[in-house]
Amino acid sequence: MKIICIGRNYSEHAKELNNPVPEKPIFFMKPDTAIVNNNDPVYYPEHSNDLHYEVEIVIKICKKGKHISEKFASGYYQEIGIGIDFTARDVQAECKKKGLPWEIAKAFDQSAPVSSFINKDKLNNSKSINFSLSINGIEKQVGNTEDMIFSFNNIIAYVSKFVTLKEGDLIFTGTPSGVGSVSIDDHFQAFIEGDCMLDFVVK
Ligand code: MG
Protein backbone atom coordinates (compact mmCIF):
# COMPACT_ATOMS: atom_id res chain seq x y z
CA MET A 1 0.00 0.00 0.00
CA LYS A 2 1.00 3.61 -0.30
CA ILE A 3 0.29 6.84 1.51
CA ILE A 4 -0.60 9.93 -0.46
CA CYS A 5 -0.41 13.26 1.35
CA ILE A 6 -1.99 16.51 0.23
CA GLY A 7 -0.06 19.69 0.94
CA ARG A 8 -1.48 23.18 1.57
CA ASN A 9 -5.13 22.11 1.57
CA TYR A 10 -6.21 24.66 4.19
CA SER A 11 -5.55 28.28 3.23
CA GLU A 12 -4.71 29.42 6.79
CA HIS A 13 -1.98 26.75 6.96
CA ALA A 14 -0.57 27.70 3.53
CA LYS A 15 -0.36 31.30 4.81
CA GLU A 16 1.36 30.38 8.09
CA LEU A 17 4.21 28.76 6.12
CA ASN A 18 4.30 31.65 3.61
CA ASN A 19 3.18 29.39 0.76
CA PRO A 20 0.78 30.45 -1.99
CA VAL A 21 -2.72 28.89 -1.93
CA PRO A 22 -2.58 26.24 -4.68
CA GLU A 23 -4.79 26.11 -7.77
CA LYS A 24 -4.49 22.32 -8.06
CA PRO A 25 -3.96 19.77 -5.28
CA ILE A 26 -0.30 19.27 -4.34
CA PHE A 27 0.60 15.76 -3.35
CA PHE A 28 3.57 13.73 -2.23
CA MET A 29 3.90 10.19 -0.95
CA LYS A 30 5.17 8.29 2.06
CA PRO A 31 6.04 4.56 2.04
CA ASP A 32 4.22 2.00 4.21
CA THR A 33 7.22 2.01 6.57
CA ALA A 34 6.12 5.50 7.71
CA ILE A 35 3.02 4.10 9.40
CA VAL A 36 2.74 3.71 13.15
CA ASN A 37 -0.35 1.84 14.34
CA ASN A 38 -1.89 0.86 17.68
CA ASN A 39 -0.88 4.10 19.44
CA ASP A 40 2.72 2.87 19.52
CA PRO A 41 5.32 5.50 20.51
CA VAL A 42 7.15 7.50 17.88
CA TYR A 43 10.90 8.07 18.18
CA TYR A 44 12.14 11.58 17.44
CA PRO A 45 14.17 11.25 14.20
CA GLU A 46 17.91 11.68 14.56
CA HIS A 47 18.24 13.70 11.35
CA SER A 48 16.06 16.62 12.47
CA ASN A 49 16.23 19.32 15.11
CA ASP A 50 12.80 20.71 14.25
CA LEU A 51 10.20 17.97 13.93
CA HIS A 52 6.73 19.45 13.29
CA TYR A 53 3.30 17.93 13.79
CA GLU A 54 0.48 18.27 11.23
CA VAL A 55 -2.83 16.66 12.21
CA GLU A 56 -4.84 15.45 9.21
CA ILE A 57 -8.02 13.55 8.40
CA VAL A 58 -7.09 10.32 6.61
CA ILE A 59 -9.30 8.46 4.15
CA LYS A 60 -8.81 4.80 3.26
CA ILE A 61 -9.28 3.75 -0.35
CA CYS A 62 -11.64 0.75 -0.62
CA LYS A 63 -11.30 -0.25 -4.28
CA LYS A 64 -8.89 0.04 -7.16
CA GLY A 65 -9.35 2.99 -9.50
CA LYS A 66 -7.66 5.08 -12.17
CA HIS A 67 -9.04 8.26 -13.77
CA ILE A 68 -11.85 8.31 -11.20
CA SER A 69 -14.37 11.03 -11.95
CA GLU A 70 -15.42 13.34 -9.13
CA LYS A 71 -18.97 12.15 -9.51
CA PHE A 72 -18.00 8.59 -8.50
CA ALA A 73 -15.12 9.40 -6.13
CA SER A 74 -17.17 9.00 -2.94
CA GLY A 75 -17.53 5.29 -3.77
CA TYR A 76 -13.78 4.83 -3.48
CA TYR A 77 -13.51 5.45 0.25
CA GLN A 78 -15.67 4.20 3.07
CA GLU A 79 -13.56 4.69 6.18
CA ILE A 80 -12.07 7.73 7.85
CA GLY A 81 -9.33 8.07 10.45
CA ILE A 82 -6.89 10.66 11.72
CA GLY A 83 -3.13 10.80 11.53
CA ILE A 84 -0.08 12.97 11.98
CA ASP A 85 2.03 13.98 8.97
CA PHE A 86 5.30 14.37 10.86
CA THR A 87 7.61 16.73 9.01
CA ALA A 88 11.29 17.47 9.58
CA ARG A 89 10.71 21.19 8.98
CA ASP A 90 14.41 22.12 9.08
CA VAL A 91 15.22 19.43 6.51
CA GLN A 92 12.22 20.44 4.38
CA ALA A 93 13.36 24.08 4.36
CA GLU A 94 16.77 22.94 3.11
CA CYS A 95 15.16 20.76 0.40
CA LYS A 96 12.92 23.64 -0.72
CA LYS A 97 15.87 26.04 -0.87
CA LYS A 98 17.88 23.65 -3.04
CA GLY A 99 14.92 22.50 -5.15
CA LEU A 100 15.38 18.92 -3.94
CA PRO A 101 12.67 16.29 -3.34
CA TRP A 102 11.04 16.13 0.12
CA GLU A 103 11.40 12.45 1.01
CA ILE A 104 13.94 12.84 3.82
CA ALA A 105 11.74 15.58 5.34
CA LYS A 106 8.44 13.74 5.00
CA ALA A 107 8.78 10.02 4.22
CA PHE A 108 11.12 8.74 6.94
CA ASP A 109 10.23 5.82 9.23
CA GLN A 110 7.45 6.56 11.75
CA SER A 111 6.45 9.80 10.03
CA ALA A 112 2.80 8.76 9.75
CA PRO A 113 1.10 7.59 12.95
CA VAL A 114 -2.50 6.75 12.11
CA SER A 115 -5.60 5.89 14.14
CA SER A 116 -8.07 3.08 13.66
CA PHE A 117 -10.79 3.84 11.09
CA ILE A 118 -14.51 4.50 11.39
CA ASN A 119 -17.18 4.07 8.74
CA LYS A 120 -18.01 7.46 7.22
CA ASP A 121 -21.72 6.59 7.41
CA LYS A 122 -21.43 6.72 11.22
CA LEU A 123 -20.56 10.43 11.11
CA ASN A 124 -23.36 12.99 11.27
CA ASN A 125 -22.04 14.75 8.17
CA SER A 126 -19.07 13.26 6.33
CA LYS A 127 -18.59 16.55 4.45
CA SER A 128 -18.16 18.56 7.65
CA ILE A 129 -15.87 16.65 10.00
CA ASN A 130 -14.55 18.40 13.11
CA PHE A 131 -11.10 17.29 14.20
CA SER A 132 -8.39 18.48 16.54
CA LEU A 133 -5.01 17.79 18.07
CA SER A 134 -3.99 18.22 21.70
CA ILE A 135 -0.45 17.91 22.98
CA ASN A 136 0.06 17.37 26.71
CA GLY A 137 -3.61 18.21 27.15
CA ILE A 138 -3.40 21.59 25.39
CA GLU A 139 -5.34 22.06 22.15
CA LYS A 140 -2.93 22.93 19.30
CA GLN A 141 -4.87 22.48 16.05
CA VAL A 142 -8.58 22.58 15.28
CA GLY A 143 -10.04 21.92 11.85
CA ASN A 144 -13.18 21.20 9.91
CA THR A 145 -13.04 19.45 6.54
CA GLU A 146 -15.43 22.05 5.12
CA ASP A 147 -12.44 24.41 5.10
CA MET A 148 -10.42 22.20 2.74
CA ILE A 149 -9.53 23.88 -0.53
CA PHE A 150 -9.88 20.51 -2.29
CA SER A 151 -12.56 18.07 -1.09
CA PHE A 152 -12.00 14.34 -0.65
CA ASN A 153 -13.67 13.82 -4.05
CA ASN A 154 -11.52 16.51 -5.74
CA ILE A 155 -8.41 14.85 -4.31
CA ILE A 156 -9.36 11.32 -5.42
CA ALA A 157 -10.20 12.52 -8.94
CA TYR A 158 -6.99 14.52 -9.29
CA VAL A 159 -4.53 12.02 -7.78
CA SER A 160 -6.02 9.07 -9.74
CA LYS A 161 -5.19 10.83 -13.02
CA PHE A 162 -1.53 10.11 -12.29
CA VAL A 163 -1.43 7.27 -9.75
CA THR A 164 -3.71 4.22 -9.64
CA LEU A 165 -5.38 4.05 -6.25
CA LYS A 166 -5.64 0.62 -4.67
CA GLU A 167 -7.62 -0.87 -1.82
CA GLY A 168 -5.92 -0.03 1.48
CA ASP A 169 -4.09 3.06 0.24
CA LEU A 170 -4.31 6.01 2.64
CA ILE A 171 -4.75 9.66 1.75
CA PHE A 172 -3.71 12.30 4.29
CA THR A 173 -5.92 15.22 3.32
CA GLY A 174 -3.96 18.22 4.62
CA THR A 175 -3.51 20.08 7.87
CA PRO A 176 -5.25 23.17 9.24
CA SER A 177 -3.23 26.02 10.78
CA GLY A 178 -1.44 25.71 14.10
CA VAL A 179 1.43 23.41 13.18
CA GLY A 180 4.43 23.54 15.48
CA SER A 181 7.49 21.88 16.94
CA VAL A 182 7.54 18.54 18.74
CA SER A 183 9.48 17.81 21.94
CA ILE A 184 10.53 14.45 23.33
CA ASP A 185 7.93 13.17 25.86
CA ASP A 186 5.08 15.06 24.16
CA HIS A 187 1.76 13.25 24.54
CA PHE A 188 -0.33 13.43 21.36
CA GLN A 189 -4.11 13.01 21.28
CA ALA A 190 -6.08 13.47 18.06
CA PHE A 191 -9.86 13.68 17.98
CA ILE A 192 -12.65 13.24 15.42
CA GLU A 193 -15.93 14.84 16.55
CA GLY A 194 -14.59 14.92 20.10
CA ASP A 195 -13.67 11.21 20.22
CA CYS A 196 -10.02 10.48 20.95
CA MET A 197 -8.91 8.29 18.04
CA LEU A 198 -5.12 8.49 18.33
CA ASP A 199 -3.11 8.65 21.55
CA PHE A 200 0.66 8.22 21.65
CA VAL A 201 3.91 9.59 23.06
CA VAL A 202 7.08 10.84 21.33
CA LYS A 203 10.26 9.34 22.75
MG1 MG B 1 0.69 17.63 5.77
Side-chain angles (χ1 to χ4, degrees):
M1 58 81 64
K2 56 189 173 289
I3 307 166
I4 289 157
C5 302
I6 307 300
R8 305 173 196 170
N9 201 22
Y10 289 80
S11 53
E12 291 303 315
H13 169 63
K15 283 181 205 158
E16 75 181 343
L17 294 185
N18 294 317
N19 288 316
V21 173
E23 288 169 13
K24 288 181 204 163
I26 294 169
F27 73 92
F28 59 90
M29 302 211 276
K30 298 189 189 228
D32 58 3
T33 42
I35 291 180
V36 182
N37 280 322
N38 305 316
N39 293 326
D40 286 345
V42 168
Y43 291 86
Y44 198 105
E46 283 179 7
H47 71 292
S48 177
N49 292 310
D50 192 21
L51 184 68
H52 268 207
Y53 54 82
E54 299 185 356
V55 71
E56 311 198 2
I57 291 291
V58 181
I59 59 177
K60 188 188 274 185
I61 297 299
C62 62
K63 62 179 175 183
K64 190 174 176 180
K66 169 91 175 159
H67 290 300
I68 300 163
S69 74
E70 260 184 62
K71 195 167 63 173
F72 298 118
S74 66
Y76 285 80
Y77 70 99
Q78 190 58 42
E79 291 183 306
I80 287 175
I82 194 163
I84 309 294
D85 167 18
F86 274 128
T87 304
R89 195 71 74 199
D90 47 351
V91 177
Q92 188 193 33
E94 202 63 21
C95 292
K96 281 183 178 175
K97 200 163 69 186
K98 294 179 179 164
L100 294 171
W102 288 8
E103 271 79 356
I104 59 169
K106 285 284 198 180
F108 52 89
D109 286 356
Q110 299 197 315
S111 60
V114 68
S115 70
S116 54
F117 284 77
I118 49 172
N119 195 304
K120 67 181 177 185
D121 297 337
K122 290 196 174 152
L123 295 164
N124 279 338
N125 180 353
S126 65
K127 290 191 171 64
S128 174
I129 303 168
N130 290 298
F131 63 105
S132 64
L133 172 69
S134 294
I135 301 176
N136 305 324
I138 298 162
E139 195 164 77
K140 297 288 186 179
Q141 289 188 273
V142 179
N144 183 289
T145 55
E146 270 186 313
D147 297 325
M148 292 191 298
I149 299 166
F150 302 104
S151 69
F152 298 154
N153 293 347
N154 294 154
I155 292 167
I156 288 170
Y158 183 79
V159 171
S160 71
K161 287 184 195 181
F162 309 99
V163 179
T164 299
L165 297 176
K166 292 168 95 172
E167 185 179 351
D169 288 349
L170 301 181
I171 303 180
F172 278 60
T173 58
T175 196
S177 61
V179 302
S181 298
V182 178
S183 301
I184 288 173
D185 294 331
D186 276 350
H187 176 202
F188 279 70
Q189 291 174 301
F191 300 82
I192 295 178
E193 299 294 352
D195 289 338
C196 185
M197 302 282 294
L198 183 63
D199 187 326
F200 68 91
V201 172
V202 174
K203 292 190 172 180

